[in-house]
């Protein structure tokens, strides 16, 4: 059984965004108007219509993380120029469900718990020099 | 064709498809109680470094190594337990290096389960404490989490060894109406938050000619991860519950709607469905009978509102997640217009213990109107963060202070972003659907966020209102515009620019949004504001006077470093997100021009050298 959302999620994870021709293909495949595919692509947070950068950074903005101060990480990213850097895509996320390890930051799909500004800054500067997070700086 | 006539017992027709439960059980017992080392590799375990531990173990030891789900005490992750030489399981906590790990306690693998299961005799440890006596576990009663952290999640034989699929076997010889009656009598209510009686929902669906079963695993509440842990740690318990539900209402097709942010849970459920099919527990002629049922996984795509049942149905159908007007309820007219039973993960996981142990067992737990147990994720300013399951009726104080060992609690937030904040003085309240509602909060799906003096209640209310504003689907006006207006007003207050009339406006708006919104999101979104106003009005007034007592609201606080106390360690500089701190003559100084008043330096300084004013 095929679901429209599942198919769009596959495309999103394959390309990092939803290219226009793929949306048109989905519209034909599921026999739904392109306008509806577009409305879905813009309604759900998981989809992006623009290509994403080399590194994807998520900061958890769930309750437990915010209470433990995750909001300063966004300031740190801003200060480091990450928010304007094309190599990086920053997306805040509403809870990863790893609340016991709050505050949580996810970099390129890997979850890092009990994050501090210091550790985040070191990880980001590593990313700007290398391409992968090699060492988990404590 | 399955037999749809009521009152008739299903016949066992396909001998070739019959399942030898006893053989599976023997196989499971062999695996469960053989010498082995088990590592908890749920999402939280992995984030704490469980995979590295697993690697190290595999390279150093030739022991049988198992990956299990979450044992609950997330604060002590990574958790590893060792079982050898006919002894009970010995749990190690905070395992970074195997040799240096500290013992947390020991347990018998079957002792958390309410089901009577066959097991060999294992010897306990005298020199170590027993896990059930640990403050974190002492008051817990596990029904839903019975297998989590004990069995290998995708090994169906271990699930069967812990009493799995006995309930399905039992109901296949019962009449569907009797199954519904059993669930009705148990008093089980929906664990997704609203608390609608499960048996009644099934009855309505069956009367309407039940077509579909849905498991709502779109656990969007920030601060909650109960469903994730169950799906990752014991997916078969949910699948078996759904299969029993399908038999009871006469459905042939089921769906698990899981949020995309839980990739591991999605993977585990997909694999578990495949395994269940292979063993004849799903698909055509389940366990050799004429009953057929299958399950598919539909993924969410990051929309909180899809946790609302009609929005979730719209999402599976391939529309944007906008709620629909109820009635008709899904049990009458649901997925693709057909009668659908939709229950959440925890509700489904409760079904097989109810069937196996009888409704009396379940009804004996809890309070008059709220039966059974409830799973909570205990997070925030609390020592023992983790996943707990307690009988309904336990007081919030016991949960937070005894199980969680929290100190200086200011408030506890229940019910997720649209729940309420209950102050310390009222923490003796019993955990019960009605009691929590009386206090202006809700049971919700089970997130418990503990707050202490460092939490500003106005800021918390702002956070939740912003959350609801962003997650509002935009379909109805009160929710869309009302919440936007409320966020603007509360923002003004946190900046010290508010007035007392703003509070009045907020209260009025809250009333309109709560009463005029279409779905549960809008109806409950004002709860955090209303409860904080009810219990912490003082804090609002102080903000209006230009003070934030907790020192959280950035517009109202400043920081400086006291030279005499500064040791020059530089930790503040390292943790400053704004690069506002520099060394001047061996001590550090904050540049007020650059400082964003985030308080990062204040919380990291070990010498109390940073002053807030």
């Amino acid at each position: 059984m095929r679901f429209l959302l599942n198919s769009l999620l596959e495309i999103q994870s394959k390309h990092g965004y939803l290219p226009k021709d793929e949306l048109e293909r989905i519209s034909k495949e599921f026999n739904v108007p392109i306008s509806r595919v577009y409305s879905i692509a813009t309604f759900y947070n998981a989809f992006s219509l623009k290509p994403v950068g080399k590194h994807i950074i998520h900061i958890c903005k769930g309750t437990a993380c915010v209470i433990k101060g995750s909001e300063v990480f966004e300031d740190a990213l801003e200060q480091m120029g990450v928010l304007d850097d094309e190599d990086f895509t920053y997306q805040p996320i509403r809870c990863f469900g790893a609340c016991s390890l709050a505050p949580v930051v996810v970099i390129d799909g890997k979850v890092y718990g009990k994050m501090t500004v210091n550790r985040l800054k070191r990880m980001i500067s590593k990313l700007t020099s290398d391409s992968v997070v090699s060492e988990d700086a404590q | 064709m399955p037999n749809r006539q009521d009152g008739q017992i299903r016949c066992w027709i396909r001998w070739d498809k019959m399942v030898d439960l006893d053989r599976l059980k023997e196989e499971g017992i062999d695996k469960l109680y053989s010498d082995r080392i088990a590592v908890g590799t749920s999402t939280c375990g992995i984030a704490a470094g469980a995979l590295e531990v697993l690697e190290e173990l595999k390279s150093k030891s030739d022991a049988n190594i198992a990956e299990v789900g979450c044992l609950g005490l997330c604060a002590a992750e990574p958790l590893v337990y060792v079982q050898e030489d006919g002894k009970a399981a010995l749990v190690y906590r905070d395992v970074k290096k195997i040799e240096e790990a500290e013992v947390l306690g020991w347990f018998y693998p079957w002792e958390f389960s309410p089901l009577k299961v066959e097991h060999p005799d294992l010897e306990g440890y005298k020199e170590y404490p027993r896990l059930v006596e640990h403050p974190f576990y002492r008051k817990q009663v596990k029904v839903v989490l019975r297998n989590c952290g004990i069995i290998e999640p995708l090994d169906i034989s271990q699930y069967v060894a812990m009493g799995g699929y006995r309930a399905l076997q039992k109901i296949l010889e019962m009449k569907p109406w009797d199954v519904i009656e059993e669930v009705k009598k148990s008093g089980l209510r929906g664990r997704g938050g609203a608390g609608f009686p499960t048996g009644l929902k099934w009855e309505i669906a069956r009367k309407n000619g039940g077509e579909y079963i849905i498991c709502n695993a779109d656990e969007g509440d920030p601060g909650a991860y109960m469903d994730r842990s169950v799906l990752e740690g014991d997916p078969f318990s949910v699948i078996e519950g759904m299969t029993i539900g399908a038999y009871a209402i006469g459905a042939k097709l089921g769906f698990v709607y899981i949020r995309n942010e839980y990739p591991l849970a999605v993977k585990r459920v997909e694999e578990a469905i495949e395994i269940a099919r292979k063993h004849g527990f799903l698909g055509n002629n389940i366990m050799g009978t004429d009953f057929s049922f299958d399950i598919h996984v539909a993924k969410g795509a990051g929309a909180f509102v899809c946790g609302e049942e009609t929005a979730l149905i719209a999402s599976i159908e391939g529309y944007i997640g906008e709620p629909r007007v109820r009635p008709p309820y899904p049990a009458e007219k649901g997925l693709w217009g057909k009668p659908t039973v939709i229950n959440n993960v925890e509700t489904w996981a409760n079904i097989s213990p109810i069937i196996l142990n009888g409704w009396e067992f379940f009804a004996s737990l809890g309070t008059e109107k709220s039966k059974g147990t409830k799973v909570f994720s205990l997070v925030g300013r609390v020592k023992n963060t983790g996943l707990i399951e307690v009988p309904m009726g336990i007081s919030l104080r016991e949960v937070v202070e005894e199980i969680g060992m929290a100190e200086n609690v200011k408030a506890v937030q229940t019910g997720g972003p649209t729940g309420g904040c209950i102050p310390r003085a009222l923490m003796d309240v019993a955990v019960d659907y009605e009691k929590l509602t009386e206090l202006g909060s809700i049971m919700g799906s089970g997130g418990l966020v503990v707050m202490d003096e460092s939490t500003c209640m106005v800021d918390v209310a702002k956070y939740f209102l912003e959350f609801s504003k962003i997650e509002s689907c935009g379909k109805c006006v009160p929710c869309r515009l009302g919440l936007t207006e409320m966020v603007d007003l509360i923002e003004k207050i946190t900046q010290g620019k508010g007035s007392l009339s703003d509070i009045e406006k907020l209260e009025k708006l809250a009333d309109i949004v709560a009463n005029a919104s279409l779905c549960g999101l809008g109806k409950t979104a004002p709860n955090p504001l209303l409860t904080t106003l009810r219990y912490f009005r003082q804090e609002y007034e102080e903000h209006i006077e230009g003070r934030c007592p907790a020192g959280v609201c950035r517009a109202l606080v400043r920081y400086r470093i006291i030279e005499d106390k500064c040791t020059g360690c530089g930790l503040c500089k390292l943790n400053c997100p704004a690069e506002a701190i520099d060394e001047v003559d061996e001590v550090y100084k904050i540049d007020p021009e650059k400082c964003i008043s985030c308080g990062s330096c204040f919380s990291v300084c070990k010498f109390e050298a940073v002053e807030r004013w």
Side-chain angles (χ1 to χ4, degrees):
Chain A
M1 196 163 198
R2 308 253 300 144
F3 299 99
L4 216 167
L5 245 59
N6 286 11
S7 300
L8 287 178
L9 283 166
E10 272 166 33
I11 298 169
Q12 171 75 32
S13 75
K14 189 174 152 202
H15 299 280
Y17 75 111
L18 300 175
K20 195 176 165 205
D21 53 334
E22 292 273 25
L23 291 183
E24 282 163 354
R25 187 177 63 77
I26 288 289
S27 152
K28 284 205 189 85
E29 192 188 321
F30 283 85
N31 198 21
V32 294
I34 185 81
S35 59
R36 199 167 108 201
V37 181
Y38 180 79
S39 78
I40 289 169
T42 49
F43 180 85
Y44 293 97
N45 292 335
F47 303 124
S48 153
L49 293 171
K50 278 191 227 137
V52 288
K54 253 193 329 199
H55 302 293
I56 303 175
I57 301 174
H58 299 291
I59 289 175
C60 182
K61 292 212 164 176
T63 319
C65 288
V66 167
I67 288 205
K68 291 210 169 170
S70 76
E71 289 193 314
V72 298
F73 300 147
E74 204 173 295
D75 299 312
L77 292 185
E78 193 182 350
Q79 165 68 28
M80 295 187 83
V82 167
L83 299 186
D84 309 316
D85 192 330
E86 277 184 6
D87 277 352
F88 290 92
T89 299
Y90 164 64
Q91 288 164 340
I93 286 273
R94 296 294 188 182
C95 198
F96 282 99
C99 317
S100 49
L101 299 162
V104 170
V105 170
V106 178
I107 300 176
D108 295 337
K110 192 161 185 241
V111 182
Y112 298 90
K114 298 181 182 161
M115 184 54 76
T116 63
V117 174
N118 182 20
R119 193 168 150 213
L120 180 68
K121 284 200 279 193
R122 281 203 267 165
M123 289 170 81
I124 299 289
S125 24
K126 263 214 155 55
L127 279 185
T128 38
S129 49
D130 310 340
S131 55
V132 283
V133 190
S134 47
E135 189 193 321
D136 183 11
Q138 186 72 46
Chain B
M1 276 296 286
N3 185 347
R4 282 188 161 271
Q5 270 172 310
D6 293 337
Q8 228 170 332
I9 296 174
R10 292 187 187 249
C11 44
W12 303 76
I13 54 162
R14 290 286 303 267
W15 296 102
D16 56 322
K17 288 228 169 189
M18 281 192 62
V19 184
D20 190 350
L21 269 188
D22 288 329
R23 190 189 53 78
L24 269 176
K25 183 187 76 188
E26 297 301 331
E27 190 188 322
I29 288 177
D30 274 353
K31 287 187 188 163
L32 266 176
Y33 303 110
S34 62
D35 289 2
R36 65 175 186 170
I37 303 176
V39 184
T41 53
S42 280
T43 299
C44 40
I46 291 174
L51 290 183
E52 286 78 8
V53 174
L54 193 70
E55 280 301 300
E56 197 195 336
L57 275 170
K58 279 184 179 162
S59 67
K60 280 189 183 165
S61 145
D62 52 4
N64 175 17
I65 294 166
E67 287 186 50
V68 296
C70 177
L71 260 184
L73 187 55
C74 306
E77 296 264 25
L79 288 168
V80 172
Y81 72 79
V82 178
Q83 233 171 246
E84 54 188 3
D85 307 329
K87 289 202 138 188
L90 192 59
V91 191
Y92 293 87
R93 59 174 298 163
D94 297 304
V95 182
K96 298 280 182 301
K97 284 235 166 5
I98 310 296
E99 299 81 21
E100 298 161 16
E102 183 194 334
V103 173
L104 177 71
W106 62 272
F107 68 97
Y108 296 118
W110 60 85
E111 71 184 326
F112 291 117
S113 174
L115 307 180
K116 284 190 190 67
V117 292
E118 212 178 284
H119 56 80
D121 278 331
L122 298 182
E123 199 188 327
Y125 287 85
K126 287 201 181 66
E127 61 274 42
Y128 298 115
R130 206 167 157 175
L131 213 56
V132 286
E133 282 154 17
H134 188 283
F136 183 76
Y137 291 99
R138 202 182 303 151
K139 296 214 161 164
Q140 292 199 47
V141 175
K142 298 198 179 202
V143 178
V144 172
L145 301 177
R146 58 192 181 276
N147 298 330
C148 275
I150 312 283
I151 64 170
E152 287 181 79
L154 291 176
D155 189 330
I156 203 162
S157 69
Q158 293 178 34
Y159 177 68
V160 172
M162 293 296 280
Y165 281 113
R166 291 279 167 205
L168 182 63
Q169 188 184 39
K170 184 174 168 189
I171 59 115
L172 287 172
E173 293 182 19
M174 286 164 72
K175 293 175 192 164
W177 278 111
D178 293 341
V179 179
I180 293 177
E181 197 54 33
E182 194 79 5
V183 176
K184 265 176 87 175
K185 278 198 239 158
S186 75
L188 173 66
R189 296 168 66 175
R191 296 293 193 249
F196 190 81
T198 306
L200 187 59
K201 197 186 265 186
W202 291 16
E203 182 183 300
I204 297 167
R206 173 135 201 126
K207 278 185 182 153
N208 285 288
E211 195 79 28
Y212 301 115
I213 289 278
I214 296 177
C215 170
N216 183 348
D218 190 54
E219 186 178 46
D221 284 7
Y225 56 98
M226 301 77 52
D227 298 349
R228 172 180 69 68
S229 300
V230 174
L231 294 175
E232 287 178 358
D234 192 15
F236 291 116
S237 67
V238 178
I239 295 172
E240 187 187 357
M242 288 176 75
T243 314
I244 293 170
Y247 177 82
I249 72 152
K252 287 196 72 181
L253 208 50
F255 303 89
V256 186
Y257 185 92
I258 315 181
R259 65 197 292 248
N260 189 45
E261 287 89 336
Y262 289 173
L264 187 61
V266 171
K267 197 170 145 249
R268 291 256 164 97
V269 173
E270 280 174 342
E271 287 175 15
I273 289 172
E274 202 49 56
I275 293 167
R277 273 188 204 134
K278 223 172 69 193
H279 281 85
F281 294 113
L282 274 180
N284 289 330
N285 303 104
I286 287 176
M287 294 180 88
T289 65
D290 59 355
F291 167 57
S292 301
F293 172 67
D294 208 355
I295 300 178
H296 296 280
V297 172
K299 283 194 268 185
F304 175 72
V305 70
C306 287
E308 201 278 339
E309 56 182 15
T310 58
L312 187 152
I313 285 171
S315 184
I316 294 182
E317 289 172 353
Y319 290 92
I320 59 171
E322 278 182 349
R324 295 166 181 171
V325 180
R326 298 183 304 179
Y329 287 89
E332 301 152 324
K333 215 167 166 242
L335 190 61
W336 293 299
K338 297 287 197 304
T340 304
V341 160
I342 174 163
N343 282 128
N344 104 317
V345 172
E346 198 184 327
T347 316
W348 289 120
N350 266 309
I351 300 297
S352 54
I354 290 176
I355 299 291
L356 266 189
N357 286 13
W359 64 269
E360 297 92 344
F361 144 78
F362 195 80
S364 71
L365 294 164
T367 63
E368 194 198 332
K369 285 186 175 166
S370 305
K371 301 293 185 194
T373 59
K374 180 79 195 79
V375 183
F376 289 103
S377 60
L378 187 56
V379 296
R381 299 283 177 182
V382 49
K383 193 176 151 209
N384 289 338
T385 54
L387 192 71
I388 57 165
E389 183 169 355
V390 287
M392 293 273 193
I394 193 172
S395 76
L396 264 187
R397 188 180 302 282
E398 283 171 277
V399 172
V400 172
E401 291 183 351
E402 289 181 35
I403 298 178
M405 293 174 77
E407 285 166 8
N408 304 320
V409 179
K410 180 168 167 184
V412 184
Q413 208 265 346
T414 72
T418 62
C421 296
I422 295 169
R424 182 195 172 90
L426 296 174
M427 270 190 352
D428 286 316
V429 64
V431 171
D432 169 295
Y433 288 97
E434 279 73 26
K435 294 267 164 44
L436 291 177
T437 309
E438 272 169 35
L439 294 181
S441 186
I442 51 173
M443 174 78 82
S445 63
L448 277 185
V449 186
V450 179
M451 298 162 184
D452 64 9
E453 292 307 322
S454 67
T455 317
C456 167
M457 301 315 285
V458 185
D459 184 64
V460 163
K462 183 183 94 175
Y463 165 78
F464 286 125
L465 285 177
E466 265 178 349
F467 178 92
S468 298
K469 174 192 135 179
I470 293 169
E471 295 298 339
S472 169
C473 75
K475 182 172 180 171
C476 69
V477 181
C479 179
R480 184 180 68 229
L481 298 184
L483 290 175
T484 309
E485 191 62 26
M486 283 168 79
V487 169
D488 289 348
L489 283 170
I490 202 162
E491 175 81 45
K492 216 171 118 187
I493 294 174
T494 57
Q495 287 176 348
K497 295 173 187 160
S499 64
L500 287 174
S501 70
D502 289 331
I503 298 184
E504 272 170 45
K505 271 188 217 156
L506 273 171
E507 280 173 325
K508 251 187 214 160
L509 274 167
D511 184 51
I512 295 170
V513 174
N515 286 306
S517 294
L518 180 66
C519 81
L521 192 153
K523 281 190 186 17
T524 52
N527 280 343
L529 174 91
L530 292 173
T531 48
T532 48
L533 265 176
R534 184 162 152 193
Y535 303 121
F536 301 96
R537 201 181 187 93
Q538 171 91 17
E539 284 195 29
Y540 282 84
E541 287 163 4
E542 281 181 81
H543 279 76
I544 287 168
E545 289 159 14
R547 281 193 315 277
C548 175
V552 171
C553 296
R554 292 184 183 185
L556 305 178
V557 290
R558 294 278 174 280
Y559 292 91
R560 65 180 163 215
I561 293 170
I562 307 164
E563 272 183 35
D564 294 347
K565 286 191 180 173
C566 179
T567 60
C569 72
L571 200 58
C572 53
K573 180 180 162 63
L574 288 175
N575 280 291
C576 176
E579 304 294 342
I581 304 180
D582 266 313
E583 192 186 343
V584 185
D585 302 330
E586 289 177 5
V587 291
Y588 285 82
K589 276 208 161 62
I590 298 175
D591 180 350
E593 292 285 300
K594 288 187 190 163
C595 179
I596 54 169
S597 298
C598 69
S600 216
C601 49
F602 183 81
S603 52
V604 296
C605 183
K606 294 182 176 122
F607 309 98
E608 294 178 4
V610 182
E611 183 187 29
R612 183 160 60 205
W613 53 288

